């Protein structure tokens, strides 16, 4: 297929995204076949803009959502909003944090823990074996075949293994977003079966920040990303260990760092992201990512730099909380439209989309006002013109991608120009109209 790239971002006005989420309840199984058909148009619930997504809730969860977790938009003029914390109990960080703290994070002395991870970590590093030995008699098993974008067939295998042992009460995910999301999805499935959630300890080795969210994404056989969400899916414990992360390939680590930057920027104009603490921490996160990603590239084994980047990744998404309405934003929506259907890692999709989306959002005064706040955090001065300042942020994002020597176009991927209408429809949820044209112009 013909390779193609991103053109310069046009100056469009504000883009308003319409998210449609279809909820399937246990009490209405007859609806599931119809929802599955609609989900062919869908994407991961965190992805944003306007596509159908399949989000499965139990009756208990739906009651909780309708009575206790009503969504509240955050406004800047006047300053108003709501922050609802997640269920995370502990965040340990620093070299050797797994060795030092893992056993103390198990919920019970009698706990049986199951490990979910990927093949590379299990076969090319000593990390999984290290955790297994640390657990000793509390290790109940390991599934090490989770692939990129968490294919549902592998998720089915992992679920089957865990469900066969009723003594398992804890899942430990080791790796990036796919193992972490898979562990969440396994917990959701078991809860549907027996009413119990697994205690989840996440040991991230990338900067994708899946450990921060209440969503679990996985890929259907047709390549479309779907998922589930529930407040109980947020890991209870996160262990950031630089001695684990230094085993991650440099390109994977830096590209997922761009994914974290994508989170931080899009939360600034997310409709339910609270000013405190979400937007404040996103500003700090973006500044740290701009500072430390280039330093990491120069010295990928510097554990202090790695730890600072891990904390920046957490700050990019860890304080959104459970007051989440819709998706994260247009860059994420494009990322899911490009990612699993074409085999492009989500870290790379952020490299391709974020800078251009920021420049497009500069045409929306409310979004531009938020994005412009980033300039002092990345060493720039504000001019007083929010549109120009937001466009400057977009330019800096594009330059950072180049400085990190990451992909800034699709020439290395099998995506032809004939796929532009398909991607545009997936990302925008429309087949024509103003939003469709604006997204198409980005491509």
């Amino acid at each position: 297929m013909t390779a193609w790239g991103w053109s310069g971002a046009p100056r469009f006005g504000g883009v308003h995204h319409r998210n449609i989420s279809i909820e399937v309840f246990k009490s209405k199984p007859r609806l599931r076949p119809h929802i599955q058909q609609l989900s062919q148009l869908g994407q991961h619930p965190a992805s944003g803009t306007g596509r159908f997504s399949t989000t499965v809730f139990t009756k208990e969860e739906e009651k909780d959502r309708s009575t206790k977790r009503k969504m509240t938009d955050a406004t800047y003029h006047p300053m108003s909003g709501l922050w609802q914390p997640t269920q995370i109990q502990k965040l340990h960080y620093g070299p050797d944090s797994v060795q030092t703290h893992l056993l103390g994070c198990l919920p019970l002395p009698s706990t049986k823990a199951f490990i979910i991870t990927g093949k590379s970590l299990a076969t090319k590093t000593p990390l999984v074996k290290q955790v297994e030995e640390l657990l000793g008699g509390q290790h109940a098993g390991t599934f090490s075949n989770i692939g990129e974008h968490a294919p549902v067939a592998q998720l089915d295998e992992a679920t089957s293994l865990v469900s066969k042992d009723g003594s398992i009460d804890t899942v430990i995910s080791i790796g990036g977003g796919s193992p972490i999301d898979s562990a969440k999805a396994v917990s959701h499935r078991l809860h549907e079966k027996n009413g119990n959630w697994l205690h989840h300890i996440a040991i991230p080795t990338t900067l994708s920040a899946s450990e921060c969210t209440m969503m679990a994404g996985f890929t259907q056989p047709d390549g479309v990303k779907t998922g589930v969400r529930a407040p109980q899916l947020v890991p209870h414990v996160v262990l950031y260990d630089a001695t684990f992360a230094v085993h991650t390939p440099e390109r994977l680590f830096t590209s997922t760092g761009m994914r974290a930057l994508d989170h931080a920027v899009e939360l600034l104009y997310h409709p339910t992201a609270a000013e405190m603490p979400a937007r404040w921490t996103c500003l700090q996160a973006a500044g740290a990512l701009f500072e430390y990603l280039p330093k990491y590239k120069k010295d990928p084994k510097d554990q202090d730099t790695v730890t600072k980047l891990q904390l920046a990744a957490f700050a990019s998404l860890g304080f959104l909380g459970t007051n989440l309405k819709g998706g994260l934003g247009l860059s994420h929506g494009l990322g899911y439209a490009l990612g699993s259907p074409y085999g492009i890692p989500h870290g790379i999709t952020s490299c391709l989309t974020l800078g251009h989306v920021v420049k497009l959002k500069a045409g929306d005064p409310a979004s531009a006002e938020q994005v412009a706040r980033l300039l002092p955090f990345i060493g720039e001065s504000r001019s007083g013109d929010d549109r120009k300042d937001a466009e400057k942020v977009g330019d800096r994002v594009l330059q950072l991608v180049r400085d990190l020597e990451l992909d800034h176009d699709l020439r290395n991927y099998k995506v032809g120009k004939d796929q532009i209408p398909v991607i545009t429809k997936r990302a925008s949820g429309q087949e024509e109209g103003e939003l469709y044209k604006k997204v198409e112009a980005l491509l």
Side-chain angles (χ1 to χ4, degrees):
M1 291 186 177
T2 304
W4 56 279
W6 297 88
S7 61
R11 296 185 178 186
F12 289 117
V15 178
H16 302 284
H17 312 300
R18 184 166 58 93
N19 295 281
I20 307 171
S21 179
I22 302 168
E23 300 163 4
V24 186
F25 306 112
K26 274 182 152 183
S27 59
K28 299 180 180 179
R30 67 184 184 278
L31 296 180
R32 291 180 186 244
H34 305 289
I35 299 307
Q36 288 170 353
Q37 291 178 5
L38 290 173
S39 72
Q40 303 308 307
L41 301 175
Q43 63 186 24
H44 187 292
S47 61
T49 60
R51 295 181 60 211
F52 285 100
S53 61
T54 306
T55 306
V56 183
F57 295 97
T58 62
K59 291 176 68 176
E60 171 190 314
E61 293 159 6
E62 175 57 23
K63 181 179 179 181
D64 182 57
R65 291 175 73 251
S66 63
T67 59
K68 299 179 181 178
R69 302 184 183 278
K70 293 181 179 179
M71 299 299 104
T72 299
D73 284 354
T75 61
Y76 204 57
H77 304 291
M79 190 75 72
S80 175
L82 168 70
W83 180 61
Q84 291 181 150
T86 67
Q87 67 176 9
I88 186 171
Q89 298 169 358
K90 296 179 181 179
L91 169 65
H92 288 289
Y93 59 91
D96 299 317
S97 62
V98 172
Q99 181 72 35
T100 305
H101 300 294
L102 176 60
L103 295 182
C105 294
L106 298 175
L108 297 168
S110 59
T111 280
K112 292 291 185 179
F114 189 90
I115 297 171
I116 293 180
T117 187
K119 186 177 294 184
S120 293
L121 279 174
T123 61
K124 297 180 180 180
T125 77
L127 303 180
V128 176
K129 185 174 179 59
Q130 180 181 329
V131 174
E132 290 174 344
E133 292 176 347
L134 189 61
L135 289 171
Q138 293 180 279
H139 177 224
T142 297
F143 183 81
S144 58
N145 197 35
I146 297 296
E148 189 173 64
H149 300 299
V152 70
Q154 296 165 10
L155 178 59
D156 291 342
E157 290 182 59
T159 304
S160 176
L161 289 173
V162 175
S163 63
K164 288 177 181 178
D165 187 345
S167 69
I168 295 173
D169 62 355
T170 296
V171 62
I172 299 175
S173 56
I174 308 174
S178 294
I180 295 172
D181 274 7
S182 296
K184 295 178 192 176
V186 168
S187 181
H188 192 282
R189 289 175 166 198
L190 292 180
H191 177 262
E192 284 194 310
K193 183 178 180 180
N194 60 28
N196 297 320
W197 299 96
L198 294 174
H199 187 80
H200 186 178
I201 300 173
I203 305 175
T205 59
T206 73
L207 301 175
S208 63
S210 176
E211 64 274 10
C212 300
T213 76
M214 63 179 183
M215 283 81 67
F218 49 91
T219 304
Q220 300 175 143
D222 62 359
V224 175
K225 199 76 175 275
T226 187
V228 293
R229 77 166 77 186
Q232 295 87 349
L233 293 183
V234 179
H236 299 82
V237 177
V238 176
L239 297 172
Y240 286 130
D241 190 330
T243 66
F244 275 53
V246 294
H247 288 272
T248 302
E250 177 192 324
R251 175 181 168 83
L252 177 58
F253 201 73
T254 54
S255 64
T256 55
M258 291 303 302
R259 186 66 170 173
L261 183 61
D262 203 346
H263 301 327
V265 173
E266 294 231 282
L267 281 196
L268 288 175
Y269 47 75
H270 189 277
T272 58
E275 177 70 10
M276 172 59 68
R279 289 177 181 163
W280 280 38
T281 56
C282 285
L283 291 168
Q284 294 287 346
L289 290 162
F290 266 94
E291 179 179 358
Y292 291 109
L293 281 172
K295 291 182 178 179
Y296 169 85
K297 183 167 179 57
K298 292 179 180 178
D299 184 5
K301 300 302 181 184
D302 187 321
Q303 294 184 5
D304 196 39
T305 297
V306 168
T307 300
K308 289 175 180 177
L309 285 169
Q310 290 176 315
L311 294 180
F314 187 86
S316 76
L317 201 53
F319 294 96
L320 174 59
T322 61
N323 185 48
L324 176 63
K325 180 171 70 176
L328 293 186
L330 178 57
S331 180
H332 285 73
L334 282 166
Y336 282 103
L338 285 165
S340 55
Y342 302 98
I344 304 174
H346 280 312
I348 297 298
T349 64
S350 292
C351 297
L352 301 173
T353 63
L354 178 59
H356 298 288
V357 168
V358 168
K359 296 188 75 170
L360 186 151
K361 297 290 284 186
D364 170 29
S367 298
E369 181 181 20
Q370 294 301 321
V371 173
R373 298 170 67 186
L374 274 173
L375 282 182
F377 292 86
I378 59 176
E380 303 277 0
S381 298
R382 296 184 66 171
S383 69
D385 185 326
D386 288 340
R387 179 169 185 157
K388 289 182 178 179
D389 289 349
E391 289 178 344
K392 191 170 187 178
V393 172
D395 288 331
R396 285 291 305 273
V397 171
L398 295 172
Q399 186 58 51
L400 179 60
V401 173
R402 289 179 168 85
D403 291 345
L404 296 174
E405 299 179 329
L406 297 169
D407 292 335
H408 60 274
D409 59 39
L410 285 165
R411 69 186 66 190
N412 295 323
Y413 304 94
K414 295 180 179 180
V415 184
K417 288 186 178 181
D418 62 315
Q419 294 299 297
I420 290 178
V422 177
I423 297 167
T424 303
K425 180 180 176 180
R426 283 175 176 161
S428 68
Q430 300 180 13
E431 296 185 27
E432 58 183 11
E434 182 182 5
L435 175 58
Y436 181 94
K437 292 178 180 178
K438 291 175 179 177
V439 174
E440 184 180 44
L442 283 179
L443 300 172

